[in-house]
Amino acid sequence: MSRGIGLLGQKVGMTQVFDSEGRAVGGTVVIAGPCTVTAVKTVATHGYDAVQAAFREEAKPERLGRPRAGVFAKLHLPAHRELVEFRPTAPLGDIAPGAKLTVELFKPGDRVDVVGNSKGHGFQGVVKRHGFKGGPDTHGSMSHRAPGSIGSSTDPGHTLRGTRMAGRHGGTSATSQNLEVLRIDAERNVLVLKGAIPGATGSWIKITPSIKRKAPSSRRLWVAIRDLEGGAKTAVKKPAAKK
């Protein structure tokens, strides 16, 4: 995995692949890159280190606005629809404006975080939006999916901020963390990621190296502690019984 730099991509859909043991594993197919580097920012010039990259050469310059269109005009590059920054975790080396970032940044087995906009579900009640249990279904009850009291009587006399109520559900930024890269197809710029990712088919996503790691199992943790304490204990031979 390369220096904490990721890719922009587009969700294609879900499928299943077979691992080395023949088990079917659900995965999401993503078209990732190639992304064009449009700027390399440093602490000396901008106050922080970052790599700015663009994706999809499908935008019309007049639809981007003058500031963003000027970025591509200055570099003599075609206009791109998506533009994002990545924060590197190591020296960038030879990365410069105009360079291409491809799926070869990753390899099977790497762990990544995927950021996207979740599916929008419109205006929803508290049962679907917040997972409320709801009221009874029998004995004449007329409060099956009602939120119930919101606790505002004479004191405090108003609805408390943050009270869980009905409203717009979904359509917000969501992150799926620590997903495994199952397959890479460099010729078609395709990644297959284990599990589901946010967003509908065709939505834009941001893929970055994972900032977390899976916690070790109790067995692996015990082995690590044992090794730190001096390795496995050798079996002690019992003295021979006296005749």
Side-chain angles (χ1 to χ4, degrees), residues 14-237:
M14 294 199 69
T15 183
Q16 67 178 16
V17 297
F18 294 92
D19 59 13
S20 58
E21 299 180 3
R23 296 174 297 184
V25 180
T28 304
V29 180
V30 175
I31 297 177
C35 297
T36 304
V37 176
T38 56
V40 177
K41 300 183 178 182
T42 62
V43 175
T45 57
H46 297 85
Y48 65 99
D49 292 324
V51 174
Q52 187 185 78
F55 181 55
R56 287 294 184 187
E57 302 176 2
E58 298 178 358
K60 295 181 179 180
E62 57 269 20
R63 293 184 178 180
L64 297 179
R66 290 185 178 181
R68 180 170 291 189
V71 172
F72 301 107
K74 183 178 180 180
L75 297 173
H76 304 287
L77 294 173
H80 291 62
R81 293 182 62 180
E82 299 295 322
L83 195 66
V84 74
E85 287 186 357
F86 299 100
R87 297 296 182 93
T89 57
L92 298 176
D94 56 350
I95 294 181
K100 295 290 186 180
L101 304 178
T102 66
V103 293
E104 294 178 347
L105 288 174
F106 305 104
K107 63 181 183 298
D110 285 346
R111 297 280 178 165
V112 296
D113 295 338
V114 179
V115 181
N117 286 327
S118 61
K119 292 181 180 179
H121 297 280
F123 191 95
Q124 297 295 331
V126 293
V127 173
K128 182 170 182 177
R129 192 183 188 206
H130 300 294
F132 281 20
K133 181 180 178 180
D137 294 331
T138 58
H139 297 285
S141 172
M142 300 182 66
S143 300
H144 305 301
R145 299 173 69 90
S149 174
I150 58 175
S152 56
S153 57
T154 303
D155 183 17
H158 64 274
T159 303
L160 296 177
R161 179 176 295 181
T163 301
R164 293 181 297 172
M165 302 176 70
R168 183 176 179 272
H169 179 48
T172 57
S173 179
T175 303
S176 293
Q177 295 183 324
N178 205 28
L179 301 181
E180 181 182 353
V181 178
L182 297 176
R183 298 284 191 275
I184 293 178
D185 188 342
E187 294 183 1
R188 294 185 288 182
N189 301 309
V190 169
L191 287 176
V192 181
L193 307 177
K194 185 176 181 179
I197 65 175
T201 298
S203 59
W204 306 105
I205 58 172
K206 179 182 178 182
I207 307 170
T208 56
S210 179
I211 60 175
K212 296 181 180 179
R213 291 294 181 268
K214 188 176 181 180
S217 64
S218 57
R219 170 68 183 177
R220 289 161 52 197
L221 183 60
W222 179 83
V223 171
I225 295 175
R226 183 198 66 185
D227 293 342
L228 289 175
E229 292 179 349
K233 296 181 180 179
T234 58
V236 178
K237 294 183 179 180

